[in-house]
Amino acid sequence: MDGSPLTGVNMAGAEFNSKRLPGTMYKDYVYPTAQDLGYFASKGATVIRLPFRWERAQLNLMGALDAAQMNAITKVVAAAAPLGLCVILDAHNYGTYHGKAIGSADVPKAAFHDFWTKMAQRFPDASQVAFGLMNEPKAMPIPQWAEVARGTVAALREAGADNLLLVGGGRWSGVHEWFKEFSGISNAQAFVDLSDPLGRTLIEVHQYANPGYSGTTTDCLAPSHFDRMFASISDWARANGHKLFLGEFGTPGTPECLATLDHLLTLVSNRDVWRGWAVWAAGRWWGSYPLSIHPKDGVDAPQMSVVSPYLGK
């Protein structure tokens, strides 16, 4: 995490079954194994993004971190270390805790600051662990999330944490709507002056390739469709001194979609702006999910033939 490219995959599973909270580990949700990590490290990955649920990691607001969850995450971090993998701990909560928005009376901003400062105490190794503050905070207006994010960065730095931080854009964090105003403000406006005294915060964005950009259908837009939007956000980041991380993107394994996937990877290869990316998604519980990049029965997913040449670069 010394400035080298962070290129890898999302290791999904620990965020599964969000309607069963806290749920039962390895019945309702799953953490990746050392074997899972080893496979992607062997392909050249340098980072995994590990989605998890805040409600499982901290059963009560302002309370202690859950021992079982911390042990499971610690095992992942320990398995990743000898493989040279950075682990991004991604609170996959869409801006809520048990469905209540951060910044509301039910979930005050202080509770979010408390959670992350406790996580920083538990995972202080800045050479290996990064913090993805909140996945796709769609439950909150953009300016409200921007205020929460700024406060959390400040709280972590005041607490002495020097881990790399990733701040997702508001709503769905989409590249395609970075400059679009919602209630009078865009992500480009809300995060233009995001600052970190250590200069170790990346702005995380997401971008799926299907019409509508939801990632929920199996068709893909033409590769050139994405040129203008990625050029625009790259220019914005360059002009304002920001670094970007493409935290979610992915396609099915059809020929047309693989062409688009390859092109997306070329669009985030300019390292002056893009620190890296994590493909959505690996994880052994995906089954027939069309965007899964996890191997099946020892056979690589079709997407791996496109992704692997870019890993580690």
Side-chain angles (χ1 to χ4, degrees), residues 10 13 19 29 33-34 37 47 97 104 106 116 151 155 175 201 208 217 229 232 253 277 280:
N10 285 266
K19 293 183 179 179
Y29 59 95
T33 66
L37 303 182
V47 67
Y97 183 90
S104 65
D106 296 292
W116 275 116
V175 175
T201 292
Y208 288 98
T217 64
M229 67 176 74
S232 294
W277 44 264
W280 187 268

Side-chain angles (χ1 to χ4, degrees), residues 25 111-112 121 165 176 179 195 207 233 269 272 294 303 305:
M25 196 182 303
F112 192 61
Q121 292 168 1
L165 308 179
H176 65 276
F179 298 92
S195 62
Q207 188 59 52
I233 197 171
S269 62
D272 68 314
H294 209 82
Q303 296 94 322
S305 65

Side-chain angles (χ1 to χ4, degrees), residues 12 25 28 37 54 68 75 97 102 146 169 174-175 193 198 210 232 237 255 286 310:
M25 196 182 303
D28 297 314
L37 303 182
W54 178 9
K75 286 181 180 179
Y97 183 90
I102 302 168
V175 175
D193 59 352
L198 300 185
N210 64 305
S232 294
W286 276 126
Y310 294 92

Side-chain angles (χ1 to χ4, degrees), residues 97-130:
Y97 183 90
H98 282 296
K100 305 294 185 180
I102 302 168
S104 65
D106 296 292
V107 188
K109 291 180 289 185
F112 192 61
H113 301 165
D114 170 82
F115 170 67
W116 275 116
T117 53
K118 286 175 176 170
M119 288 291 284
Q121 292 168 1
R122 182 61 189 256
F123 300 100
D125 186 354
S127 68
Q128 196 197 354
V129 179

Side-chain angles (χ1 to χ4, degrees), residues 34 66 147 163 169 173 184 212 215 223 231 289-290 311:
D66 180 75
E147 179 185 358
N163 306 68
S173 307
Y289 178 55
L311 288 168

Side-chain angles (χ1 to χ4, degrees), residues 51-112:
F52 67 92
R53 291 291 303 198
W54 178 9
E55 299 93 342
R56 290 172 177 148
Q58 188 179 38
L59 298 179
N60 299 292
L61 291 178
M62 310 295 287
L65 298 177
D66 180 75
Q69 299 298 315
M70 294 304 104
N71 287 340
I73 294 173
T74 297
K75 286 181 180 179
V76 174
V77 172
L83 299 171
L85 289 170
C86 165
V87 180
I88 299 171
L89 301 182
D90 160 52
H92 214 78
N93 274 72
Y94 304 96
T96 70
Y97 183 90
H98 282 296
K100 305 294 185 180
I102 302 168
S104 65
D106 296 292
V107 188
K109 291 180 289 185
F112 192 61

